[in-house]
Amino acid sequence: MSETVLLVGGGGREHAIARALAPDCDLYACASNRNPGIAELAAEFETISETAADDIVAYAESVDATLAIVGPEAGLAAGVADALDEAGIYTFGPQAAEARIETDKAFQRRFMRDEDIPGNPDFATFDDMEAACDYIDEYDGDLAVKPAGLTGGKGVKVIGDQVTPEEAKAYLRDSDYERVVLEERLVGEEFTIQAFVANGEFRVTPAVQDHKRAYEGDEGPNTGGMGSYTDVTPSLPFMEDGDYEAAVEVIEAVVDALPDYKGILYGQFMLTTEGPKVIEFNARFGDPEAMNTLPVLETPFLDVLVAAREGESLPELDFADQATVCKYAVPEGYPTDPKAGAKIEVEVDEDAGALLYYASVDARDDGLYTTTSRSFAVVGVADSISGAEELAEDALAAAGDGFHIRHDIGTEALVQQRIDHMADLRDE
């Protein structure tokens, strides 16, 4: 039977999902923005807010969708998966109760503590900002300050890295956050592992290292992600034997504790001298991490969704033995003062080994223009990280003006810095 799949969301992550699904199904899509890459792959693209559950269900029913997948966390938090499931359309994405593992960071930490999930740092939660400020004064060490709710990856402030204790307290006092989590600052190298989860099973993807800081050399404010890379193996160059497996054991513990979870479980880890510690969990693909892992997935992604719906064992995942490097082009001034309106004129020869993913763009009669969010990403796929980085850079050479790009992502120099950093920490 041919499957009709509804994809909810219009960003770069969803463009990657669309590429992975479109060859094997009848694909329909809906989002608040019209992503030209998704529109080209889908039989139909409807403009609907990602959080408008009733409207999404109505559209899904109108196209006779047999499966659905929700890309962005806002839709999951709004109960879109709940509504689609209730309408009889199996949705590969957690219902709102399980999505709290991302949407409520205070819940996330308490869940890890109560379920004895390994890798949980010291933490405390507050709904009184003055009490949180007192905790900063009293704590022996540096802290990460996290709003409990969703902030698009831009709300965290790390004492000893981004801010001083006084600046952290000012940040809390000036904010309108209802709840915050203060947790020990983790020192090491970050990485992500994404898992496909259903029916109490999970299948993991290669580790990815994302780059949140806006500017080269890991300087500047946090962003939604400026780019990322994978290696030809599931591990990364700065990891030792057993590090990847230790992180997978954390994911296994979460799946065991959430037997009804379905969809993507994204574990963001800090590799410390004590092994992987959990920075956070997300309840969906990462953006940009989806653009690293899905292009090298050789198992049809649709097979995962169908097996999940049918209650069958999830297929084992086969990945090409290739590295990927993703680099985002963002508007000048992003993320603090982004300047929209630059014309996008990039063309990528995908036969050469680079892939183009559209994210947040404004489609006008005379072409595509930047908005105030990330515009598009280019992913190089090759037999080494350095080879993939060269392909991404070659493709970005045609991006035109009005963009900011972190050109150092995936370079041999930056990867070596990561290796040296972990070596130094282990020797201390």
Side-chain angles (χ1 to χ4, degrees):
M1 181 184 84
S2 175
E3 300 286 350
T4 300
V5 182
L6 175 65
L7 169 61
V8 178
R13 164 182 48 224
E14 290 77 32
H15 191 182
I17 295 170
R19 276 185 181 268
L21 288 174
D24 302 308
C25 69
D26 296 322
L27 183 67
Y28 289 77
C30 63
S32 55
N33 65 299
R34 187 175 179 82
N35 183 307
I38 299 173
E40 186 176 333
L41 294 166
E44 190 174 283
F45 195 118
E46 192 76 7
T47 303
I48 303 173
S49 169
E50 292 85 352
T51 60
D54 291 343
D55 292 341
I56 291 170
V57 169
Y59 181 58
E61 292 176 334
S62 75
V63 300
D64 297 323
T66 58
L67 286 163
I69 181 166
V70 179
E73 61 273 28
L76 297 170
V80 171
D82 306 55
L84 286 164
D85 284 337
E86 187 175 341
I89 302 164
Y90 182 91
T91 302
F92 194 68
Q95 296 195 352
E98 282 78 31
R100 285 185 71 198
I101 198 166
E102 172 175 8
T103 60
D104 185 340
K105 291 181 177 60
F107 166 83
Q108 178 187 113
R109 288 307 187 198
R110 290 194 297 267
F111 161 80
M112 291 188 67
R113 178 194 63 200
D114 296 345
E115 298 293 339
D116 293 323
I117 306 296
N120 201 20
D122 291 339
F123 74 96
T125 61
F126 298 90
D127 55 16
D128 179 334
M129 295 307 113
E130 285 304 320
C133 290
D134 290 342
Y135 185 84
I136 291 173
D137 288 334
E138 296 164 4
Y139 189 80
D140 182 18
D142 291 334
L143 292 161
V145 180
K146 296 183 175 182
L150 297 174
T151 60
K154 307 180 189 73
V156 177
K157 304 293 183 185
V158 181
I159 297 172
D161 178 21
Q162 298 166 293
V163 294
T164 65
E166 291 305 315
E167 288 170 335
K169 291 188 288 183
Y171 172 61
L172 288 173
R173 289 175 175 135
D174 293 342
S175 74
D176 56 1
Y177 298 133
E178 294 182 359
R179 292 177 303 139
V180 295
V181 181
L182 302 184
E183 54 193 50
E184 66 171 301
R185 177 191 175 190
L186 300 174
V187 177
E189 286 294 331
E190 293 186 28
F191 68 97
T192 296
I193 297 176
Q194 300 164 106
F196 301 169
V197 184
N199 310 319
E201 288 189 324
F202 70 99
R203 301 287 184 263
V204 290
T205 67
V208 186
Q209 186 170 56
D210 185 19
H211 299 68
K212 288 287 189 186
R213 293 297 193 94
Y215 309 132
E216 297 193 4
D218 296 319
E219 299 291 335
N222 275 349
T223 70
M226 292 297 297
S228 45
Y229 68 93
T230 61
D231 207 346
V232 295
T233 66
S235 188
L236 289 167
F238 56 80
M239 299 167 73
E240 293 185 337
D241 289 345
D243 290 337
Y244 179 87
E245 291 76 14
V248 171
E249 289 176 3
V250 175
I251 291 173
E252 182 176 18
V254 173
V255 174
D256 288 345
L258 291 174
D260 295 329
Y261 193 98
K262 58 185 174 65
I264 303 299
L265 179 64
Y266 162 123
Q268 184 180 8
F269 300 93
M270 182 73 79
L271 180 57
T272 72
T273 55
E274 299 175 345
K277 301 277 189 176
V278 175
I279 297 173
E280 66 178 11
F281 291 109
N282 289 337
R284 38 70 189 179
F285 277 117
D287 185 342
E289 292 93 338
M291 292 177 276
N292 295 97
T293 50
L294 287 173
V296 293
L297 175 64
E298 295 183 330
T299 306
F301 186 33
L302 182 67
D303 289 359
V304 177
L305 274 61
V306 171
R309 181 191 63 198
E310 299 301 317
E312 299 172 352
S313 183
L314 299 180
E316 298 296 332
L317 303 183
D318 292 323
F319 292 91
D321 297 330
Q322 291 183 296
T324 67
V325 172
C326 173
K327 301 193 185 194
Y328 249 115
V330 304
E332 293 288 358
Y334 174 85
T336 53
D337 186 25
K339 296 173 175 57
K343 191 171 185 179
I344 299 171
E345 296 181 333
V346 61
E347 291 187 11
V348 173
D349 178 10
E350 299 200 343
D351 291 334
L355 304 171
L356 173 64
Y357 293 97
Y358 287 107
S360 182
V361 296
D362 179 17
R364 304 179 189 174
D365 290 341
D366 63 339
L368 302 175
Y369 290 80
T370 60
T371 68
T372 57
S373 191
R374 293 176 297 175
S375 304
F376 64 90
V378 168
V379 178
V381 182
D383 294 334
S384 66
I385 296 172
S386 60
E389 191 274 332
E390 290 176 9
L391 289 173
E393 278 296 306
D394 289 346
L396 285 167
D401 299 325
F403 298 103
H404 167 61
I405 298 163
R406 268 197 64 173
H407 294 287
D408 62 341
I409 293 171
T411 60
E412 291 185 5
L414 191 59
V415 173
Q416 188 62 48
Q417 284 181 24
R418 307 298 200 225
I419 296 169
D420 294 344
H421 181 214
M422 282 311 304
D424 289 345
L425 290 175
R426 291 178 175 121
D427 290 341
E428 286 179 358

